[in-house]
Amino acid sequence: MNDIKIKKVESRHDLETFMQFRYDLYRDDPYDVPYLHFDELFTLRKDRNASFDDCECDYFLAYRNDKVVGRVAAIINKKANTKWNNKIVRFGWFDFIDDYDVSHTLLDTVKEWGLERGMTQMVGPMGFADTDREGMLVEGFDSMATAYANHNYSYYPKHIEEYHGFRKDNDYVEMLVKVPEKVPEKFAKIADMVEKRYNLHVHKLTRRELLKEGYGQEIFSMLNTTYKNLYGFAELNKRKIDQLVEQYIKIADLNLVSIIVDGNNDNKMVGFGITFPSLSEAQRKTHNGKLLPFGWYHLLKAIKWKRADTVDMLLIGVLPEYRSKGANAIIFKDLVQQYIKYGFKWAQAMPQMETNHGILSNWQYFDAHINKRLRCFIKDIG
């Protein structure tokens, strides 16, 4: 007999309970990285996150005998559904104990919620926007998580597979790259040739350009163009772009941000690469992702003093008309040079679609391998 009770999150206290469940569930996982509490709260609050300009969402908690045993978010991204001409309800923030009654009752809840709103398919795990964590870990459970991608226990995919009707919709891979002592010669020659032939150049942003001249907003506006045909993507609205600039670009080490400009076109920005020192170890030293009492110190060390041995490659984008010209090679060459200078030993490339051969082909010149795979599942519901 199924004794699971579902409660919709309706108050700030409920939302804190929703967040706390994951911290408790993964407290003893040696590979998990707790999400930063303030960042997660901002993302989930409907009155703060600009993604809710385009999304409808409810959160649900699963209880057994008054104890929380699971959680899930049911999301409809109206802009994405319009763009891709579908009727999809997304499920995200999907965490649960190893009990099929729990996981399947939560999925049933999302399905019914979606059906009530006229949806015909159910997809996940996905967030509100493409800049949120996407996919369920299906390979690489014994590899340290990153601060920007989903991590879950190995039993999660089994619960999806046992829920009738789900099938693979999209896979992402994460590449772990050994930082070389110098840029591989063959790769450097390709980058130099592209630079000379097309008059493309690296531009290092100044803080003034970032804050006063709108380069941060331009990066994410360009992301709307470069990512427009990627899986499930919906254009970021202006308010969301402003929030992303505040959350990421303004605190970035600009040496680890690479901008490519076209000298034949008034130095137009045509590509970008955004990377950060890994925050994984720093976040593991926080208490439930909170900055107090000493969490802020560990994050400061990682961001400002580069104490991590790994750098996270967060976002890379090149305008479509410049991809065939090899502009991405210039980005990678510049970033690898910075990694060598800073003494990073490893670069962790954030999830890339397994079909994105243009980006994945760059790794053939490096000592690199796939160390994680994440999957989005889809199911017809109506």
Side-chain angles (χ1 to χ4, degrees):
M1 179 179 176
N2 188 339
D3 58 350
I4 305 304
K5 292 184 170 31
I6 297 295
K7 173 181 171 56
K8 187 169 88 169
V9 170
E10 296 181 313
S11 67
R12 175 67 180 270
H13 179 268
D14 291 342
L15 187 57
E16 289 287 350
T17 302
F18 184 88
M19 293 170 58
Q20 185 62 42
F21 173 71
R22 193 185 189 285
Y23 294 127
D24 294 339
L25 185 64
Y26 284 87
R27 191 179 306 280
D28 298 322
D29 183 345
Y31 304 107
D32 184 59
V33 172
Y35 305 151
L36 289 177
H37 184 274
F38 76 90
D39 190 47
E40 194 74 347
L41 183 60
F42 181 91
T43 299
L44 293 171
R45 282 187 57 169
K46 300 178 183 181
D47 60 335
R48 296 286 182 86
N49 187 351
S51 291
F52 284 96
D53 294 349
D54 305 311
C55 293
E56 181 180 358
C57 172
D58 276 316
Y59 311 124
F60 300 94
L61 289 161
Y63 284 84
R64 174 184 281 137
N65 299 326
D66 296 324
K67 180 180 179 181
V68 181
V69 289
R71 68 172 191 171
V72 74
I75 304 163
I76 296 174
N77 185 315
K78 300 173 185 177
K79 184 179 286 188
N81 280 354
T82 298
K83 172 181 170 60
W84 297 100
N85 191 29
N86 51 32
K87 296 180 179 180
I88 283 176
V89 55
R90 304 177 175 197
F91 65 92
W93 285 267
F94 184 41
D95 294 292
F96 47 91
I97 65 172
D98 191 5
D99 184 303
Y100 287 97
D101 283 343
V102 175
S103 61
H104 289 185
T105 300
L106 287 166
L107 290 172
D108 285 342
T109 301
V110 175
K111 182 177 72 173
E112 293 304 317
W113 187 91
L115 286 170
E116 289 172 2
R117 289 157 178 80
M119 301 298 104
T120 59
Q121 290 182 306
M122 181 173 167
V123 174
M126 293 187 75
F128 308 109
D130 200 62
T131 49
D132 295 322
R133 303 177 188 91
E134 295 180 334
M136 178 178 287
L137 192 66
V138 295
E139 295 176 13
F141 302 103
D142 58 353
S143 180
M144 182 62 67
T146 66
Y148 310 99
N150 278 331
H151 172 78
N152 52 260
Y153 288 122
S154 60
Y155 64 77
Y156 277 42
K158 299 174 185 176
H159 285 243
I160 291 287
E161 292 162 3
E162 289 294 324
Y163 191 84
H164 180 70
F166 270 119
R167 60 189 183 275
K168 170 183 170 180
D169 198 32
N170 181 63
D171 268 17
Y172 300 94
V173 294
E174 290 188 38
M175 303 293 299
L176 185 63
V177 185
K178 185 175 182 180
V179 177
E181 294 182 359
K182 64 177 183 178
V183 178
E185 184 176 354
K186 187 174 181 180
F187 189 81
K189 286 182 178 179
I190 293 173
D192 291 342
M193 178 191 68
V194 171
E195 185 172 3
K196 292 175 183 177
R197 178 177 295 178
Y198 300 109
N199 199 17
L200 303 178
H201 306 286
V202 173
H203 176 70
K204 286 299 182 186
L205 291 176
T206 65
R207 195 61 60 180
R208 175 179 176 80
E209 286 175 327
L210 188 66
L211 301 180
K212 302 293 185 181
E213 299 180 21
Y215 273 78
Q217 280 76 11
E218 187 174 349
I219 288 173
F220 284 104
S221 293
M222 197 171 84
L223 184 144
N224 278 335
T225 301
T226 60
Y227 282 36
K228 66 180 181 180
N229 293 321
L230 294 185
Y231 174 80
F233 184 77
E235 181 178 298
L236 303 173
N237 61 49
K238 183 181 182 304
R239 196 160 73 93
K240 184 63 178 180
I241 288 174
D242 289 342
Q243 289 180 349
L244 290 169
V245 171
E246 288 287 336
Q247 289 173 301
Y248 297 106
I249 302 298
K250 281 193 175 181
I251 65 170
D253 180 337
L254 297 184
N255 288 326
L256 299 177
V257 175
S258 181
I259 301 299
I260 306 301
V261 298
D262 183 351
N264 294 328
N265 193 7
D266 296 325
N267 286 327
K268 172 187 175 182
M269 185 190 300
V270 300
F272 63 86
I274 301 173
T275 65
F276 268 75
S278 173
L279 302 180
S280 295
E281 288 297 337
Q283 288 184 210
R284 283 177 57 80
K285 294 176 181 177
T286 64
H287 176 64
N288 286 345
K290 295 180 180 178
L291 298 186
L292 297 176
F294 301 114
W296 63 270
Y297 173 71
H298 299 295
L299 289 173
L300 183 65
K301 283 202 305 182
I303 294 173
K304 297 296 184 182
W305 303 333
K306 315 300 183 294
R307 294 298 176 87
D309 66 357
T310 302
V311 61
D312 290 337
M313 308 180 78
L314 302 188
L315 292 171
I316 293 175
V318 175
L319 290 176
E321 60 268 33
Y322 289 86
R323 291 171 191 160
S324 60
K325 296 178 179 179
N328 56 335
I330 304 176
I331 295 174
F332 282 106
K333 178 188 173 185
D334 174 60
L335 291 176
V336 170
Q337 288 174 331
Q338 298 299 325
Y339 301 162
I340 294 170
K341 175 183 174 182
Y342 279 23
F344 291 118
K345 297 179 181 178
W346 302 95
Q348 178 74 62
M350 292 299 100
Q352 303 157 50
M353 290 176 59
E354 65 176 354
T355 56
N356 191 347
H357 304 298
I359 291 295
L360 293 175
S361 64
N362 288 281
W363 304 125
Q364 65 182 298
Y365 302 101
F366 298 88
D367 182 357
H369 66 275
I370 295 173
N371 72 325
K372 297 176 189 174
R373 181 178 293 270
L374 299 105
R375 181 164 297 162
C376 287
F377 297 88
I378 188 169
K379 171 183 169 61
D380 298 325
I381 61 172

